[in-house]
Amino acid sequence: MTTDLHELLRSLRVWDPEVTELPVFDPATAPAAPLALFTQWFAAAVAAGQTEPHTMSLATADAEGRPDVRTVMLHGADTDGWSFATHAGSRKGRQLAARPYAALGFYWPVLGRQVRVRGPVTAAPSGESQADLHARSTGALAAALTGRQSEVLGSVEELAEASQAAWERARREPEAPVSSWTVYRLRAEEVEFFQGDARRRHVRLNYRRTGGDWARELLWP
């Protein structure tokens, strides 16, 4: 039996009221800086039962300007920026070295909300990156020790063997260093908050950095 993709797409609903609550968002009540609002919205997504609310899309571009995107995990957000981590030699690591600018996208469908962040990216010092890695799970360390991210893989058996060796070392040496592991921090120049509306009167509040302050503006949906 062949699946008709177009028919399947037409059968899907956006923001099904059985599983989605669309809160009222008054942009006039928003704080002066985006981090506070992001924290509020993130906490609301967690409270609403959003699955993996800390996952986000990370968009970068290579040296020729060709875009790329993938899903990664948010490691933190503070006044210095939004943080994520990867191997410096991975595809995204190489792209950030060539073009140190990126965009992040969060989508929390349980509340009909999106947050978009973009700005320049810098790499944290090695000590901070290693501390980030060793604060995570044994599995995370094993994955980092396996390494070779984005390289061509010869076979699934090769991966299984390398992964098993990495797991054994991670259990044996929980502080094992991984020199390529790097925390990256995106310093936001723009942060947009999108609140969906059932009548498609979506609210879009955009923050733009202007020197040391933030300008706020509404955008047409």
Side-chain angles (χ1 to χ4, degrees), residues 58 60-62 68 70 72 84-98 143-144 147-152 179-184:
L58 167 65
T60 56
D62 63 18
D68 211 342
R70 75 288 288 166
V72 299
F84 56 94
T86 188
H87 291 280
S90 68
R91 180 178 295 181
K92 51 187 172 294
R94 297 194 306 270
Q95 291 173 349
L96 288 168
R148 302 185 65 179
Q149 188 176 50
S150 301
E151 295 181 19
V152 175
S179 60
S180 61
W181 187 257
T182 305
V183 170
Y184 293 91

Side-chain angles (χ1 to χ4, degrees), residues 68-88:
D68 211 342
V69 67
R70 75 288 288 166
T71 301
V72 299
M73 183 188 301
L74 177 69
H75 282 223
D78 54 29
T79 54
D80 292 326
W82 278 252
S83 300
F84 56 94
T86 188
H87 291 280

Side-chain angles (χ1 to χ4, degrees), residues 153 155-165:
L153 174 65
S155 68
V156 292
E157 291 78 16
E158 182 182 356
L159 172 60
E161 183 178 342
S163 177
Q164 181 61 33

Side-chain angles (χ1 to χ4, degrees), residues 85-154:
T86 188
H87 291 280
S90 68
R91 180 178 295 181
K92 51 187 172 294
R94 297 194 306 270
Q95 291 173 349
L96 288 168
R99 290 176 176 257
Y101 200 91
L104 308 176
F106 296 86
Y107 180 43
W108 301 315
V110 70
L111 296 173
R113 286 177 168 175
Q114 299 180 54
V115 181
R116 300 167 60 210
V117 189
R118 64 177 181 173
V121 177
T122 56
S126 176
E128 181 179 338
S129 296
Q130 295 304 300
D132 169 85
L133 176 61
H134 296 133
R136 303 178 70 201
S137 66
T138 300
L141 176 57
L145 286 167
T146 302
R148 302 185 65 179
Q149 188 176 50
S150 301
E151 295 181 19
V152 175
L153 174 65

